[in-house]
Amino acid sequence: MQLTGDRFTQESAVFGNDLVTLPNFPAEIRAPQGTIPGVSSFQVHFADHDILTAGDAPDVLVAMNPAALKANLGDLPKGATIIVDTHDFSARNLQKAGYEANPLDSLGDAGSILGEFAVHPIDLTGMTVEAVKEFGLSRKDAARAKNMFALGLLSWMYGRPTEPTEAFLSKRFAKVPDIRDANITAFKSGWNFGETTETFAVQYEVKPAPMAPGTYRNITGNLALAYGLVAAGVQSELPVFLGSYPITPASDILHELSKHKAFGVTTFQAEDEIAGIGSALGAAFAGQLAVTTTSGPGVALKSETIGLAVMTELPLVIVNVQRGGPSTGLPTKTEQADLLQAMFGRNGEAPVPVVAPQSPGDCFDAALEAARIAVTYRTPVFLLSDGYLANGSEPWRIPELSELPVIEPGFAAPREQDDAAFRPYDRDPETLARPWAIPGTPGLEHRIGGLEKGDGHGNISYDPANHDLMVRTRQAKIDRIAESLPPLVVDDPSGEAKVLVIGWGSTYGPIGAGVRRVRKAGFNVAQVHLRHLNPFPKDLGEILKGYDKVLVPEMNLGQLSMLLRAKYLVDAQGYNQVRGLPLKAADLAQAIGELVAQAEGVTVDLTPATEKESAR
């Protein structure tokens, strides 16, 4: 199903639609087939206009077995289309899914659980096997092409171009002609079935979306993040070193970066998380753009070395693709509950900048920004992505090289024998960054390690006053980053809103869609989204004071709202869900509407203003 969804996405991207995807798959490598936990799904939201989320309620569900039907039925709106493969609705599969009776048998009866939907029972498997029998495959291998039959049917229903999928199948199975031809035939048979059957009375046309000029491609968050790290290496003229250990959902970054040796990228798959970040910090000491990738459990193991990077003041990008926790938690489900871990998950006063992308494509820019901060300020930097961004996709305009920031490493220059002794902890007066001294550079010999450094000279110091000074200096360096940040963009078209919705990370899409619904109903609400979570932008405090109510939607129990309340003494209210799924725009809109009603003393009806006028 992931392949099927990906191909439909690529077809829609080629056609020019705007889109957002939501892949959702089991954590187990071989989840029990036919059970609810074993359901793998792929949701696509595509349109002829700008969209922000993968959608709250799918209009069409293709269910390959009873478990898929049961797992997704509750998300469908009344009147949704359901296409069901009747072949797998056997007594055994019905029992696995928890059905006492076959729901397809009661279609048309009063009280049927499927009565509110347009249901099309089709023997997808049987038709696929019949369509590909000329290729001499076993029934099991022939039946595996049913996903391509379903893709062909959906491609017909929504007028998707078929050439990209045919070319993909030809390339993917080029070495196995029978499998290649069977999949292509199944795909065409599904399209022809839609074209010739009278089962489907409606065919949809979704025109291309207007987009800014440029060259576009469909991209996932992990791929965009990997490209951003490559670009950071190019823009800083530094070789990129990734020291990593595979972990869901971050492993794709390691896989992708391993393909880019031509750009000076070295990837090292270590024996564990600690070795991964240790090797990366060593690469930073040697003058490379150092990166380590992981998820929440890996960050816990890396925390001691992150503290060492804080003490040695070396540039290091730590990518945390967040997932459901605690412990092993929900490895394949999304969450954004590692913010406080990134902020405070080390011993001692060990401040670290935190950057978060807002969409799959934005992972590219966030990676560049994390690298800029790390190199410029000589500090480890957290880059907080999450599973929704990592695996989701959207159209992305490929930037011109001239649009990318230049990153200056500014290595310490060699010193002559007669020069004054090198002081590795003297600081740039603007950034408070210490010199980046590459081993082997004449005259730059110095001490390094985890023990406290003496101010300026960098030798080991146990002096209480020096320790207090160094702790405050390291914090001041992180605070100084705010001087380089652009002003926040507040989306408040009317200028009269009393409610501000503030978010970070992947909640950008649901918040934006929820805010749109409230405005469409005729009410005012403002929105601002944070990329930099430590330090906060300089103007954030004044912005927060400008509104009567502040709502903070998060996929955690209120971590950003806690930080905002503590720092700015603002009564930030949380909208919090930790379901392993993105927030739903419709539910969020209701929460925003309730806050608007409180702030303005009005009754809020989220029926769009145009519909209210028509009703009058």
mmCIF file of all heavy atoms in Angstrom, residues 402-442:
data_model
loop_
_atom_site.group_PDB
_atom_site.id
_atom_site.type_symbol
_atom_site.label_atom_id
_atom_site.label_comp_id
_atom_site.label_asym_id
_atom_site.label_seq_id
_atom_site.Cartn_x
_atom_site.Cartn_y
_atom_site.Cartn_z
ATOM 1 N N SER A 402 22.008 30.569 -5.788
ATOM 2 C CA SER A 402 22.194 31.944 -5.315
ATOM 3 C C SER A 402 21.259 32.290 -4.162
ATOM 4 O O SER A 402 21.485 33.274 -3.450
ATOM 5 C CB SER A 402 21.962 32.925 -6.468
ATOM 6 O OG SER A 402 20.643 32.776 -6.987
ATOM 7 N N GLU A 403 20.198 31.492 -3.971
ATOM 8 C CA GLU A 403 19.247 31.759 -2.894
ATOM 9 C C GLU A 403 19.707 31.182 -1.557
ATOM 10 O O GLU A 403 19.130 31.513 -0.516
ATOM 11 C CB GLU A 403 17.878 31.147 -3.247
ATOM 12 C CG GLU A 403 17.253 31.720 -4.499
ATOM 13 C CD GLU A 403 16.002 30.960 -4.922
ATOM 14 O OE1 GLU A 403 15.549 30.079 -4.156
ATOM 15 O OE2 GLU A 403 15.480 31.234 -6.013
ATOM 16 N N LEU A 404 20.727 30.348 -1.574
ATOM 17 C CA LEU A 404 21.144 29.667 -0.355
ATOM 18 C C LEU A 404 22.124 30.531 0.444
ATOM 19 O O LEU A 404 22.923 31.274 -0.138
ATOM 20 C CB LEU A 404 21.803 28.326 -0.696
ATOM 21 C CG LEU A 404 20.961 27.358 -1.529
ATOM 22 C CD1 LEU A 404 21.713 26.046 -1.733
ATOM 23 C CD2 LEU A 404 19.621 27.102 -0.878
ATOM 24 N N PRO A 405 22.079 30.446 1.769
ATOM 25 C CA PRO A 405 22.985 31.262 2.584
ATOM 26 C C PRO A 405 24.430 30.765 2.479
ATOM 27 O O PRO A 405 24.681 29.575 2.303
ATOM 28 C CB PRO A 405 22.447 31.051 4.008
ATOM 29 C CG PRO A 405 21.785 29.709 3.968
ATOM 30 C CD PRO A 405 21.192 29.597 2.595
ATOM 31 N N VAL A 406 25.357 31.689 2.561
ATOM 32 C CA VAL A 406 26.776 31.331 2.619
ATOM 33 C C VAL A 406 27.149 31.109 4.085
ATOM 34 O O VAL A 406 26.798 31.901 4.949
ATOM 35 C CB VAL A 406 27.649 32.450 2.009
ATOM 36 C CG1 VAL A 406 29.132 32.112 2.182
ATOM 37 C CG2 VAL A 406 27.319 32.634 0.536
ATOM 38 N N ILE A 407 27.824 30.013 4.353
ATOM 39 C CA ILE A 407 28.217 29.668 5.720
ATOM 40 C C ILE A 407 29.739 29.752 5.803
ATOM 41 O O ILE A 407 30.441 29.032 5.089
ATOM 42 C CB ILE A 407 27.725 28.258 6.095
ATOM 43 C CG1 ILE A 407 26.198 28.175 5.957
ATOM 44 C CG2 ILE A 407 28.149 27.893 7.509
ATOM 45 C CD1 ILE A 407 25.638 26.765 6.108
ATOM 46 N N GLU A 408 30.250 30.626 6.654
ATOM 47 C CA GLU A 408 31.688 30.854 6.769
ATOM 48 C C GLU A 408 32.269 30.106 7.973
ATOM 49 O O GLU A 408 31.984 30.459 9.113
ATOM 50 C CB GLU A 408 31.968 32.353 6.916
ATOM 51 C CG GLU A 408 31.590 33.188 5.698
ATOM 52 C CD GLU A 408 32.557 32.997 4.533
ATOM 53 O OE1 GLU A 408 33.569 32.283 4.721
ATOM 54 O OE2 GLU A 408 32.294 33.545 3.456
ATOM 55 N N PRO A 409 33.099 29.093 7.747
ATOM 56 C CA PRO A 409 33.696 28.372 8.887
ATOM 57 C C PRO A 409 34.651 29.244 9.698
ATOM 58 O O PRO A 409 34.698 29.143 10.920
ATOM 59 C CB PRO A 409 34.437 27.206 8.226
ATOM 60 C CG PRO A 409 33.886 27.114 6.850
ATOM 61 C CD PRO A 409 33.447 28.482 6.458
ATOM 62 N N GLY A 410 35.435 30.102 9.011
ATOM 63 C CA GLY A 410 36.334 31.002 9.718
ATOM 64 C C GLY A 410 37.332 30.277 10.612
ATOM 65 O O GLY A 410 37.462 30.602 11.793
ATOM 66 N N PHE A 411 38.042 29.308 10.051
ATOM 67 C CA PHE A 411 39.031 28.576 10.843
ATOM 68 C C PHE A 411 40.105 29.522 11.395
ATOM 69 O O PHE A 411 40.450 30.539 10.778
ATOM 70 C CB PHE A 411 39.728 27.505 9.991
ATOM 71 C CG PHE A 411 38.820 26.385 9.565
ATOM 72 C CD1 PHE A 411 38.721 26.027 8.223
ATOM 73 C CD2 PHE A 411 38.072 25.684 10.496
ATOM 74 C CE1 PHE A 411 37.896 24.991 7.829
ATOM 75 C CE2 PHE A 411 37.246 24.638 10.105
ATOM 76 C CZ PHE A 411 37.147 24.300 8.774
ATOM 77 N N ALA A 412 40.631 29.177 12.547
ATOM 78 C CA ALA A 412 41.741 29.945 13.112
ATOM 79 C C ALA A 412 42.958 29.831 12.199
ATOM 80 O O ALA A 412 43.263 28.755 11.675
ATOM 81 C CB ALA A 412 42.064 29.435 14.513
ATOM 82 N N ALA A 413 43.648 30.944 12.013
ATOM 83 C CA ALA A 413 44.796 30.976 11.106
ATOM 84 C C ALA A 413 46.037 30.408 11.792
ATOM 85 O O ALA A 413 46.169 30.474 13.021
ATOM 86 C CB ALA A 413 45.049 32.410 10.670
ATOM 87 N N PRO A 414 46.951 29.847 11.006
ATOM 88 C CA PRO A 414 48.219 29.366 11.599
ATOM 89 C C PRO A 414 48.962 30.514 12.293
ATOM 90 O O PRO A 414 48.787 31.678 11.953
ATOM 91 C CB PRO A 414 49.000 28.853 10.380
ATOM 92 C CG PRO A 414 47.980 28.644 9.315
ATOM 93 C CD PRO A 414 46.897 29.643 9.556
ATOM 94 N N ARG A 415 49.785 30.144 13.259
ATOM 95 C CA ARG A 415 50.521 31.162 14.018
ATOM 96 C C ARG A 415 52.019 30.905 13.896
ATOM 97 O O ARG A 415 52.482 29.755 13.846
ATOM 98 C CB ARG A 415 50.101 31.137 15.490
ATOM 99 C CG ARG A 415 48.601 31.325 15.675
ATOM 100 C CD ARG A 415 48.194 31.121 17.118
ATOM 101 N NE ARG A 415 48.516 32.261 17.956
ATOM 102 C CZ ARG A 415 47.739 33.331 18.105
ATOM 103 N NH1 ARG A 415 46.603 33.418 17.442
ATOM 104 N NH2 ARG A 415 48.099 34.320 18.905
ATOM 105 N N GLU A 416 52.764 31.994 13.842
ATOM 106 C CA GLU A 416 54.217 31.894 13.777
ATOM 107 C C GLU A 416 54.790 31.628 15.173
ATOM 108 O O GLU A 416 54.142 31.871 16.189
ATOM 109 C CB GLU A 416 54.801 33.189 13.212
ATOM 110 C CG GLU A 416 54.333 33.542 11.802
ATOM 111 C CD GLU A 416 54.786 32.527 10.769
ATOM 112 O OE1 GLU A 416 55.811 31.849 11.014
ATOM 113 O OE2 GLU A 416 54.103 32.399 9.723
ATOM 114 N N GLN A 417 56.012 31.182 15.211
ATOM 115 C CA GLN A 417 56.640 30.832 16.474
ATOM 116 C C GLN A 417 56.753 32.039 17.412
ATOM 117 O O GLN A 417 56.658 31.907 18.642
ATOM 118 C CB GLN A 417 58.027 30.242 16.211
ATOM 119 C CG GLN A 417 58.660 29.624 17.455
ATOM 120 C CD GLN A 417 59.915 28.862 17.102
ATOM 121 O OE1 GLN A 417 60.368 28.887 15.965
ATOM 122 N NE2 GLN A 417 60.485 28.181 18.078
ATOM 123 N N ASP A 418 56.899 33.223 16.829
ATOM 124 C CA ASP A 418 57.061 34.424 17.644
ATOM 125 C C ASP A 418 55.731 35.023 18.087
ATOM 126 O O ASP A 418 55.715 35.971 18.880
ATOM 127 C CB ASP A 418 57.855 35.482 16.867
ATOM 128 C CG ASP A 418 59.281 35.026 16.577
ATOM 129 O OD1 ASP A 418 59.777 34.150 17.327
ATOM 130 O OD2 ASP A 418 59.872 35.531 15.608
ATOM 131 N N ASP A 419 54.604 34.517 17.560
ATOM 132 C CA ASP A 419 53.290 35.058 17.946
ATOM 133 C C ASP A 419 52.988 34.708 19.400
ATOM 134 O O ASP A 419 53.544 33.752 19.967
ATOM 135 C CB ASP A 419 52.184 34.498 17.049
ATOM 136 C CG ASP A 419 52.299 35.011 15.620
ATOM 137 O OD1 ASP A 419 52.982 36.031 15.417
ATOM 138 O OD2 ASP A 419 51.701 34.381 14.726
ATOM 139 N N ALA A 420 52.041 35.453 19.969
ATOM 140 C CA ALA A 420 51.587 35.143 21.327
ATOM 141 C C ALA A 420 50.938 33.765 21.344
ATOM 142 O O ALA A 420 50.439 33.273 20.328
ATOM 143 C CB ALA A 420 50.595 36.205 21.787
ATOM 144 N N ALA A 421 50.945 33.133 22.519
ATOM 145 C CA ALA A 421 50.381 31.780 22.646
ATOM 146 C C ALA A 421 48.909 31.773 22.232
ATOM 147 O O ALA A 421 48.158 32.712 22.521
ATOM 148 C CB ALA A 421 50.535 31.301 24.084
ATOM 149 N N PHE A 422 48.531 30.718 21.537
ATOM 150 C CA PHE A 422 47.137 30.578 21.073
ATOM 151 C C PHE A 422 46.204 30.399 22.266
ATOM 152 O O PHE A 422 46.463 29.598 23.159
ATOM 153 C CB PHE A 422 47.038 29.370 20.138
ATOM 154 C CG PHE A 422 45.632 29.062 19.690
ATOM 155 C CD1 PHE A 422 44.877 30.006 19.006
ATOM 156 C CD2 PHE A 422 45.059 27.816 19.941
ATOM 157 C CE1 PHE A 422 43.582 29.726 18.590
ATOM 158 C CE2 PHE A 422 43.777 27.521 19.532
ATOM 159 C CZ PHE A 422 43.035 28.487 18.847
ATOM 160 N N ARG A 423 45.111 31.142 22.269
ATOM 161 C CA ARG A 423 44.113 31.063 23.340
ATOM 162 C C ARG A 423 42.810 30.512 22.743
ATOM 163 O O ARG A 423 42.049 31.237 22.099
ATOM 164 C CB ARG A 423 43.896 32.446 23.954
ATOM 165 C CG ARG A 423 45.096 32.940 24.750
ATOM 166 C CD ARG A 423 44.962 34.409 25.118
ATOM 167 N NE ARG A 423 43.792 34.689 25.936
ATOM 168 C CZ ARG A 423 43.745 34.589 27.268
ATOM 169 N NH1 ARG A 423 44.815 34.179 27.945
ATOM 170 N NH2 ARG A 423 42.637 34.886 27.923
ATOM 171 N N PRO A 424 42.550 29.193 22.920
ATOM 172 C CA PRO A 424 41.427 28.535 22.234
ATOM 173 C C PRO A 424 40.054 28.965 22.729
ATOM 174 O O PRO A 424 39.054 28.629 22.082
ATOM 175 C CB PRO A 424 41.680 27.049 22.513
ATOM 176 C CG PRO A 424 42.461 27.030 23.777
ATOM 177 C CD PRO A 424 43.334 28.248 23.723
ATOM 178 N N TYR A 425 39.977 29.666 23.854
ATOM 179 C CA TYR A 425 38.670 30.100 24.341
ATOM 180 C C TYR A 425 38.539 31.624 24.388
ATOM 181 O O TYR A 425 37.684 32.162 25.073
ATOM 182 C CB TYR A 425 38.368 29.464 25.710
ATOM 183 C CG TYR A 425 37.889 28.037 25.554
ATOM 184 C CD1 TYR A 425 38.803 27.003 25.361
ATOM 185 C CD2 TYR A 425 36.543 27.728 25.537
ATOM 186 C CE1 TYR A 425 38.371 25.698 25.172
ATOM 187 C CE2 TYR A 425 36.101 26.424 25.349
ATOM 188 C CZ TYR A 425 37.014 25.411 25.163
ATOM 189 O OH TYR A 425 36.586 24.117 24.971
ATOM 190 N N ASP A 426 39.371 32.334 23.603
ATOM 191 C CA ASP A 426 39.081 33.731 23.311
ATOM 192 C C ASP A 426 37.875 33.764 22.387
ATOM 193 O O ASP A 426 37.647 32.824 21.608
ATOM 194 C CB ASP A 426 40.283 34.391 22.632
ATOM 195 C CG ASP A 426 41.312 34.872 23.641
ATOM 196 O OD1 ASP A 426 40.976 34.940 24.846
ATOM 197 O OD2 ASP A 426 42.455 35.166 23.222
ATOM 198 N N ARG A 427 37.120 34.851 22.400
ATOM 199 C CA ARG A 427 35.818 34.831 21.726
ATOM 200 C C ARG A 427 35.644 35.960 20.720
ATOM 201 O O ARG A 427 36.168 37.070 20.924
ATOM 202 C CB ARG A 427 34.688 34.872 22.760
ATOM 203 C CG ARG A 427 34.742 33.681 23.697
ATOM 204 C CD ARG A 427 33.613 33.605 24.683
ATOM 205 N NE ARG A 427 33.815 32.422 25.526
ATOM 206 C CZ ARG A 427 33.468 31.190 25.182
ATOM 207 N NH1 ARG A 427 32.846 30.979 24.028
ATOM 208 N NH2 ARG A 427 33.711 30.176 25.977
ATOM 209 N N ASP A 428 34.895 35.651 19.674
ATOM 210 C CA ASP A 428 34.475 36.680 18.721
ATOM 211 C C ASP A 428 33.532 37.634 19.453
ATOM 212 O O ASP A 428 32.545 37.187 20.058
ATOM 213 C CB ASP A 428 33.764 36.014 17.538
ATOM 214 C CG ASP A 428 33.326 37.006 16.480
ATOM 215 O OD1 ASP A 428 32.413 37.800 16.774
ATOM 216 O OD2 ASP A 428 33.877 36.973 15.368
ATOM 217 N N PRO A 429 33.785 38.936 19.432
ATOM 218 C CA PRO A 429 32.946 39.857 20.203
ATOM 219 C C PRO A 429 31.488 39.900 19.734
ATOM 220 O O PRO A 429 30.599 40.234 20.518
ATOM 221 C CB PRO A 429 33.636 41.217 19.991
ATOM 222 C CG PRO A 429 34.470 41.046 18.756
ATOM 223 C CD PRO A 429 34.883 39.623 18.735
ATOM 224 N N GLU A 430 31.226 39.534 18.473
ATOM 225 C CA GLU A 430 29.857 39.582 17.959
ATOM 226 C C GLU A 430 29.085 38.318 18.282
ATOM 227 O O GLU A 430 27.927 38.371 18.710
ATOM 228 C CB GLU A 430 29.877 39.805 16.444
ATOM 229 C CG GLU A 430 28.492 39.929 15.826
ATOM 230 C CD GLU A 430 28.537 40.213 14.336
ATOM 231 O OE1 GLU A 430 29.599 40.663 13.843
ATOM 232 O OE2 GLU A 430 27.528 39.973 13.659
ATOM 233 N N THR A 431 29.690 37.162 18.079
ATOM 234 C CA THR A 431 28.984 35.889 18.257
ATOM 235 C C THR A 431 29.322 35.182 19.560
ATOM 236 O O THR A 431 28.621 34.241 19.944
ATOM 237 C CB THR A 431 29.318 34.933 17.101
ATOM 238 O OG1 THR A 431 30.727 34.620 17.153
ATOM 239 C CG2 THR A 431 28.984 35.560 15.746
ATOM 240 N N LEU A 432 30.397 35.579 20.212
ATOM 241 C CA LEU A 432 30.943 34.905 21.400
ATOM 242 C C LEU A 432 31.453 33.501 21.083
ATOM 243 O O LEU A 432 31.666 32.685 21.977
ATOM 244 C CB LEU A 432 29.915 34.840 22.546
ATOM 245 C CG LEU A 432 29.458 36.187 23.115
ATOM 246 C CD1 LEU A 432 28.507 35.968 24.290
ATOM 247 C CD2 LEU A 432 30.653 37.026 23.541
ATOM 248 N N ALA A 433 31.623 33.185 19.786
ATOM 249 C CA ALA A 433 32.151 31.875 19.385
ATOM 250 C C ALA A 433 33.655 31.841 19.608
ATOM 251 O O ALA A 433 34.360 32.831 19.398
ATOM 252 C CB ALA A 433 31.829 31.607 17.920
ATOM 253 N N ARG A 434 34.166 30.694 20.028
ATOM 254 C CA ARG A 434 35.611 30.530 20.185
ATOM 255 C C ARG A 434 36.222 30.152 18.835
ATOM 256 O O ARG A 434 35.508 29.767 17.897
ATOM 257 C CB ARG A 434 35.913 29.473 21.243
ATOM 258 C CG ARG A 434 35.770 28.015 20.795
ATOM 259 C CD ARG A 434 36.281 27.087 21.883
ATOM 260 N NE ARG A 434 36.294 25.688 21.489
ATOM 261 C CZ ARG A 434 37.314 25.089 20.883
ATOM 262 N NH1 ARG A 434 38.387 25.781 20.534
ATOM 263 N NH2 ARG A 434 37.269 23.791 20.605
ATOM 264 N N PRO A 435 37.532 30.235 18.678
ATOM 265 C CA PRO A 435 38.162 29.849 17.403
ATOM 266 C C PRO A 435 37.970 28.362 17.112
ATOM 267 O O PRO A 435 37.938 27.542 18.026
ATOM 268 C CB PRO A 435 39.646 30.178 17.627
ATOM 269 C CG PRO A 435 39.698 31.085 18.810
ATOM 270 C CD PRO A 435 38.516 30.733 19.661
ATOM 271 N N TRP A 436 37.851 28.047 15.824
ATOM 272 C CA TRP A 436 37.788 26.648 15.384
ATOM 273 C C TRP A 436 39.192 26.282 14.910
ATOM 274 O O TRP A 436 39.600 26.646 13.812
ATOM 275 C CB TRP A 436 36.766 26.484 14.269
ATOM 276 C CG TRP A 436 36.362 25.065 13.994
ATOM 277 C CD1 TRP A 436 36.821 23.929 14.573
ATOM 278 C CD2 TRP A 436 35.376 24.645 13.031
ATOM 279 N NE1 TRP A 436 36.199 22.824 14.053
ATOM 280 C CE2 TRP A 436 35.298 23.230 13.104
ATOM 281 C CE3 TRP A 436 34.560 25.306 12.128
ATOM 282 C CZ2 TRP A 436 34.445 22.488 12.292
ATOM 283 C CZ3 TRP A 436 33.704 24.575 11.323
ATOM 284 C CH2 TRP A 436 33.637 23.177 11.413
ATOM 285 N N ALA A 437 39.932 25.597 15.765
ATOM 286 C CA ALA A 437 41.340 25.308 15.516
ATOM 287 C C ALA A 437 41.491 23.872 15.035
ATOM 288 O O ALA A 437 41.227 22.932 15.789
ATOM 289 C CB ALA A 437 42.155 25.538 16.787
ATOM 290 N N ILE A 438 41.922 23.703 13.806
ATOM 291 C CA ILE A 438 42.020 22.372 13.209
ATOM 292 C C ILE A 438 43.319 21.698 13.656
ATOM 293 O O ILE A 438 44.399 22.303 13.585
ATOM 294 C CB ILE A 438 41.981 22.468 11.671
ATOM 295 C CG1 ILE A 438 40.747 23.253 11.234
ATOM 296 C CG2 ILE A 438 41.980 21.072 11.052
ATOM 297 C CD1 ILE A 438 39.448 22.736 11.787
ATOM 298 N N PRO A 439 43.261 20.473 14.140
ATOM 299 C CA PRO A 439 44.475 19.763 14.569
ATOM 300 C C PRO A 439 45.515 19.718 13.454
ATOM 301 O O PRO A 439 45.178 19.512 12.284
ATOM 302 C CB PRO A 439 43.965 18.359 14.902
ATOM 303 C CG PRO A 439 42.510 18.528 15.173
ATOM 304 C CD PRO A 439 42.059 19.662 14.307
ATOM 305 N N GLY A 440 46.753 19.931 13.842
ATOM 306 C CA GLY A 440 47.840 19.921 12.872
ATOM 307 C C GLY A 440 48.175 21.282 12.310
ATOM 308 O O GLY A 440 49.184 21.428 11.602
ATOM 309 N N THR A 441 47.334 22.294 12.604
ATOM 310 C CA THR A 441 47.633 23.643 12.137
ATOM 311 C C THR A 441 48.756 24.229 12.999
ATOM 312 O O THR A 441 48.650 24.234 14.228
ATOM 313 C CB THR A 441 46.391 24.547 12.230
ATOM 314 O OG1 THR A 441 45.312 23.930 11.534
ATOM 315 C CG2 THR A 441 46.675 25.915 11.627
ATOM 316 N N PRO A 442 49.838 24.686 12.382
ATOM 317 C CA PRO A 442 50.975 25.198 13.161
ATOM 318 C C PRO A 442 50.576 26.287 14.152
ATOM 319 O O PRO A 442 49.848 27.222 13.812
ATOM 320 C CB PRO A 442 51.915 25.757 12.086
ATOM 321 C CG PRO A 442 51.574 24.987 10.851
ATOM 322 C CD PRO A 442 50.101 24.749 10.925
#
